């Protein structure tokens, strides 16, 4: 996917090439290459476990998960630890309703390619949608304003189709330790800028933004060795469980508000 090459280019773009000394440009270039070597590339697709998760009485809650590799659950050791599965089961427990999970998320997705996922989702509209997107926009050097505007358009489409929409905004890329300093601080700043712009766009579109970097990242900083998969870029099952514990409450509130 060229993730780390994109990070290096994005960092240089953020700083402004004209404002970088030759030494700093060389440092960022070298750090991007080193981080790419350390992280490597994913060679397997995420597990899939879509379908019905039975609950109690009432209508079936149609739950869709859209976005990038974090939404798809890349790095989870088995299907039971996918974020969609963890959240579907949590929704069953909290709402008492059966939940039908459909995962549209794809590894490598950006906000531009996210459009095709929404096309699929609105063809059979969910009652509730979770969106996790933005990390690849940073590594792919997409402008913050463009990325947020595209997200707002797609959230509005989901809302118009009748879905309650919860968006986990751009994660804290500063948690990824194979990205060395100062490159890690630069991409962290870019991600924070995007998360802020995403929040405003999601609110305007009628969705519910969840500040992932604020609510989730502290635990990943403290428990790095426990919560990351072997690629050291994506969470493992324990990491997805932590994130799901944070996301479940806003999803439940969205369900309550829509009924």
């Amino acid at each position: 996917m060229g993730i780390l090459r994109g990070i290096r280019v994005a960092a240089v773009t953020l700083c402004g090439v004209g404002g970088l000394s030759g030494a700093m440009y060389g440092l960022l270039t070298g750090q991007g290459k080193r981080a790419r070597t350390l992280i490597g590339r994913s060679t397997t697709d995420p597990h899939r476990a879509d379908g019905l998760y039975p609950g109690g009485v009432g209508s079936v809650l149609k739950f869709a998960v859209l976005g990038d590799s974090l939404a798809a659950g890349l790095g989870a050791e088995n299907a039971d630890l996918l974020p969609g599965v963890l959240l579907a089961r949590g929704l069953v427990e909290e709402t008492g309703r059966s939940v039908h999970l459909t995962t549209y998320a794809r590894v490598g997705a950006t906000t531009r390619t996210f459009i095709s996922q929404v096309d699929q989702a609105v063809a059979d509209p969910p009652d509730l949608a979770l969106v996790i997107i933005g990390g690849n926009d940073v590594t792919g050097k997409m402008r913050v304003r463009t990325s947020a505007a595209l997200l707002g358009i797609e959230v509005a489409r989901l809302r118009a189709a009748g879905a309650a929409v919860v968006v986990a905004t751009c994660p804290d890329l500063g948690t990824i330790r194979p990205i060395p300093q100062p490159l890690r601080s630069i991409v962290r700043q870019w991600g924070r800028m995007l998360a802020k712009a995403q929040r405003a766009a999601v609110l305007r579109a009628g969705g519910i933004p969840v500040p992932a970097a604020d609510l989730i990242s502290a635990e990943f900083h403290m428990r790095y060795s426990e919560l990351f998969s072997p690629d050291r870029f994506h969470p493992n099952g324990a990491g997805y469980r932590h994130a799901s514990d944070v996301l479940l409450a806003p999803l439940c509130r969205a369900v309550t508000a829509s009924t």
Side-chain angles (χ1 to χ4, degrees):
M1 293 186 293
I3 289 175
L4 272 301
R5 179 180 182 277
I7 287 177
R8 188 262 300 167
V9 174
V12 171
T13 305
L14 179 62
C15 292
V17 174
L20 289 175
S21 66
M24 179 58 75
Y25 185 92
L27 175 63
L28 293 178
T29 299
Q31 288 187 337
K33 290 179 179 178
R34 176 171 174 267
R36 184 168 66 251
T37 299
L38 287 171
I39 291 174
R41 295 184 178 182
S42 300
T43 57
T44 58
D45 291 328
H47 304 279
R48 291 285 174 182
D50 290 358
L52 184 67
Y53 290 80
V57 298
S59 60
V60 174
L61 177 69
K62 295 164 63 177
F63 175 44
V65 178
L66 305 93
D68 55 24
S69 57
L70 296 180
L74 184 62
E77 294 86 346
N78 56 63
D80 287 337
L81 296 173
L82 294 173
V85 172
L86 293 168
L87 289 166
R89 289 175 172 158
L91 287 165
V92 169
E93 184 175 346
E94 293 297 322
T95 67
R97 297 168 62 182
S98 295
V99 174
H100 191 280
L101 169 66
T102 305
T103 304
Y104 298 101
R106 292 291 180 269
V107 174
T110 68
T111 310
R112 290 192 194 280
T113 61
F114 174 63
I115 296 170
S116 64
Q117 296 181 29
V118 177
D119 287 342
Q120 296 176 64
V122 298
D124 182 18
D127 303 302
L128 175 67
L130 170 66
V131 176
I132 305 175
I133 198 83
N136 293 321
D137 291 10
V138 175
T139 65
K141 61 177 180 175
M142 189 185 300
R143 292 181 60 196
V144 166
R145 182 180 299 180
T146 301
S147 174
L150 289 172
L151 176 61
I153 291 169
E154 299 312 312
V155 171
R157 288 179 65 203
L158 288 166
R159 293 288 294 128
V165 183
V166 174
V167 178
T169 56
C170 186
D172 182 3
L173 296 176
T175 61
I176 304 171
R177 293 186 186 177
I179 304 175
Q181 298 289 12
L183 182 58
R184 195 190 319 160
S185 294
I186 293 170
V187 295
R188 181 176 186 268
Q189 179 187 353
W190 187 304
R192 290 261 177 191
M193 290 167 55
L194 177 56
K196 182 178 179 180
Q198 286 178 323
R199 179 182 185 277
V202 169
L203 286 172
R204 284 194 298 269
I208 301 171
V210 178
D214 295 334
L215 298 178
I216 296 172
S217 298
E219 199 76 7
F220 278 88
H221 279 291
M222 291 187 295
R223 300 171 57 200
Y224 177 82
S225 61
E226 300 174 47
L227 300 183
F228 276 92
S229 66
D231 73 4
R232 295 192 285 174
F233 193 89
H234 297 90
N236 60 14
Y240 284 120
R241 186 176 295 280
H242 167 61
S244 297
D245 287 344
V246 172
L247 293 170
L248 181 59
L251 286 168
C252 289
R253 288 196 295 269
V255 171
T256 301
S258 65
T259 56

